[in-house]
């Protein structure tokens, strides 16, 4: 789950920052030097190595508190930019008024995977709890409920307005639906990229803690091991981000394979396991948890299979690979 998040954030940086840099410095962007410096590969490598990687070396998630505050401000700006600029763009870029809006289609299972990916925070739970100044369950519940409520409102706004504006043309990164020379959207793209760069270390911390707990549980902390694990994780995320350009498919795969397991299957299975000593395995009290597991398995299998098929179909076009390496 954390690895998929790291790769997704890098892909978003590659989708946004080259457009912004080219729009801010068009004369440089048209030169040979600009074609290299503003290319997707160079931009991703530069910002991951010199910004995301140093932040990922922190051991305490509490040190990233200021970057989280910046992420909230950036999120509000991005939402405002999409809502304001959507009605102003050329009609050829917007949804066809002749096609009715659909509440669901054949991609519903991939969509559930993406939504699950957006809301899964289970793998960060223990680190968030430990970063509280007064780590109590009541304070932890307040943080989780408030953050989830804010994420829900933000997701609904961007989803509803984005779909109303672009319909079937909506891309995995909605900012890619706007022209490259839109000033307000370029500000949103820049903030979005910085948001992803500062969020990247959160996933790195989780992945590193998992590796430390599974492989080096009985050993003392080693700074050399800490640096090597962090470097390997960032390098792996960078490699995926450099070679994958379809954000939608990446989110669908990560959501289907990992997020569905964390959100639906694992919590219900843990509850059933803990309740087994006092409650029969197939009791009515556990029916809801069994249904949740069945739903999670269904979403995980269908979303993964359909996402792989979608990726294969999307990658069969003549320009599919070239778009990643511009």
């Amino acid at each position: 789950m954390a690895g998929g998040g790291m790769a997704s954030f890098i892909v978003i940086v590659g989708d946004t920052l080259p457009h912004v840099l080219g729009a801010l410095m068009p004369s440089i962007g048209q030169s040979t030097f600009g074609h290299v410096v503003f290319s997707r590969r160079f931009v991703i490598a530069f910002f991951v190595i010199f910004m995301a990687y140093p932040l990922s070396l922190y051991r305490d998630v509490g040190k990233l508190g200021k970057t989280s505050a910046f992420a909230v401000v950036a999120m509000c700006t991005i939402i405002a930019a999409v809502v304001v600029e959507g009605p102003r763009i050329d009609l050829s870029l917007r949804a066809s008024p002749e096609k009715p809006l659909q509440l669901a289609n054949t991609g519903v299972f991939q969509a559930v995977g993406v939504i699950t990916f957006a809301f899964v925070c289970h793998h960060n739970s223990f680190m968030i709890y430990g970063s509280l100044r007064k780590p109590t369950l009541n304070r932890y519940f307040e943080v989780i409920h408030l953050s989830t409520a804010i994420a829900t409102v933000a997701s609904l706004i961007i989803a509803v307005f984005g779909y109303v504006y672009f319909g079937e043309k909506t891309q995995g990164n909605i900012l890619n639906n706007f022209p490259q020379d839109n000033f307000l959207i370029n500000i949103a793209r820049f903030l979005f990229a910085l948001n992803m760069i500062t969020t990247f270390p959160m996933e790195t911390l989780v992945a590193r803690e998992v590796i430390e707990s599974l492989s080096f549980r009985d050993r003392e902390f080693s700074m050399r091991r800490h640096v090597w694990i962090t470097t390997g994780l960032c390098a792996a995320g960078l490699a995926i981000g450099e070679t994958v350009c379809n954000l939608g498919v990446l989110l669908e795969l990560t959501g289907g394979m990992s997020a569905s397991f964390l959100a639906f299957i694992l919590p219900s299975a843990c509850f059933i396991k803990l309740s087994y000593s006092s409650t029969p395995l197939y009791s009515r009290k556990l029916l809801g948890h069994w249904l949740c597991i069945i739903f999670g398995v269904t979403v995980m299998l269908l979303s993964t299979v359909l996402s792989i098929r979608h990726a294969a179909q999307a990658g069969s076009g003549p320009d599919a690979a070239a778009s990643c390496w511009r």
Side-chain angles (χ1 to χ4, degrees):
M1 177 63 198
M6 293 166 61
S8 301
F9 298 155
I10 294 175
V11 172
I12 291 173
V13 172
D15 283 347
T16 52
L17 273 184
H19 298 304
V20 176
L21 296 175
L24 292 177
M25 294 171 279
S27 58
I28 299 178
Q30 295 174 0
S31 64
T32 304
F33 175 76
H35 281 300
V36 175
V37 176
F38 294 166
S39 66
R40 186 179 189 274
R41 287 174 290 176
F42 185 88
V43 168
I44 286 177
F46 180 86
F47 279 91
V48 169
I49 293 172
F50 293 102
M51 291 187 66
Y53 176 65
L55 290 174
S56 299
L57 290 172
Y58 279 119
R59 294 181 59 194
D60 183 11
V61 70
K63 298 291 182 66
L64 301 174
K66 293 182 179 180
T67 62
S68 299
F70 167 78
V72 175
V73 175
M75 177 189 68
C76 296
T77 305
I78 294 168
I79 293 174
V82 171
V83 172
V84 171
E85 292 297 323
R88 300 180 181 180
I89 65 172
D90 190 87
L91 294 178
S92 61
L93 301 176
R94 297 179 58 181
S96 174
E98 299 178 356
K99 292 187 177 181
L101 298 178
Q102 298 179 339
L103 294 179
N105 54 30
T106 54
V108 63
F109 287 101
Q110 297 101 301
V112 172
V114 175
I115 294 172
T116 306
F117 172 83
F119 282 93
V120 162
C121 57
H122 304 55
H123 56 303
N124 288 323
S125 298
F126 294 108
M127 301 181 69
I128 294 174
Y129 179 81
S131 67
L132 296 176
R133 293 180 181 178
K134 297 180 180 179
T136 63
L137 285 179
N138 288 335
R139 290 173 62 85
Y140 171 74
F141 290 154
E142 290 178 3
V143 170
I144 293 298
H145 292 159
L146 179 61
S147 58
T148 305
I150 294 175
T152 301
V153 173
S155 299
L156 284 174
I157 294 175
I158 203 76
V160 171
F161 280 92
Y163 186 63
V164 168
Y165 293 153
F166 303 110
E168 74 283 354
K169 298 180 180 179
T170 306
Q171 300 186 33
N173 182 354
I174 195 172
L175 298 179
N176 289 345
N177 284 95
F178 292 87
Q180 296 186 19
D181 58 353
N182 189 303
F183 178 73
L184 185 57
I185 293 298
N186 279 333
I187 294 177
R189 288 188 176 116
F190 182 72
L191 293 175
F192 194 25
L194 291 183
N195 187 3
M196 294 300 99
I197 292 171
T198 55
T199 307
F200 180 92
M202 296 283 291
E203 302 298 327
T204 308
L205 263 65
V206 174
R208 186 176 61 231
E209 287 298 316
V210 171
I211 295 175
E212 289 276 4
S213 300
L214 293 178
S215 303
F216 308 100
R217 179 182 303 175
D218 300 327
R219 299 186 186 181
E220 295 182 358
F221 173 78
S222 170
M223 180 57 70
R224 177 180 296 181
R225 185 175 71 242
H226 173 85
V227 173
W228 275 112
I229 293 176
T230 305
T231 304
L233 290 171
C234 291
L238 178 60
I240 297 175
E242 290 277 20
T243 54
V244 176
C245 61
N246 194 326
L247 178 63
V249 172
L250 187 58
L251 293 178
E252 291 170 5
L253 283 173
T254 305
M257 296 178 64
S258 303
S260 297
F261 181 82
L262 282 175
F264 304 117
I265 301 175
L266 186 61
S268 297
C270 290
F271 185 89
I272 292 173
K273 176 65 176 179
L274 295 174
S275 304
Y276 180 65
S277 59
S278 59
T279 305
L281 193 60
Y282 300 104
S283 170
R284 287 187 177 181
K285 294 181 179 180
L286 300 179
L287 178 60
H289 299 282
W290 282 113
L291 292 176
C292 189
I293 291 177
I294 294 173
F295 176 77
V297 172
T298 303
V299 171
M300 182 172 63
L301 294 177
L302 290 179
S303 177
T304 302
V305 172
L306 293 175
S307 298
I308 293 175
R309 188 180 71 173
H310 180 203
Q313 294 175 350
S316 60
D319 300 327
S323 63
C324 265
W325 300 96
R326 61 183 182 272

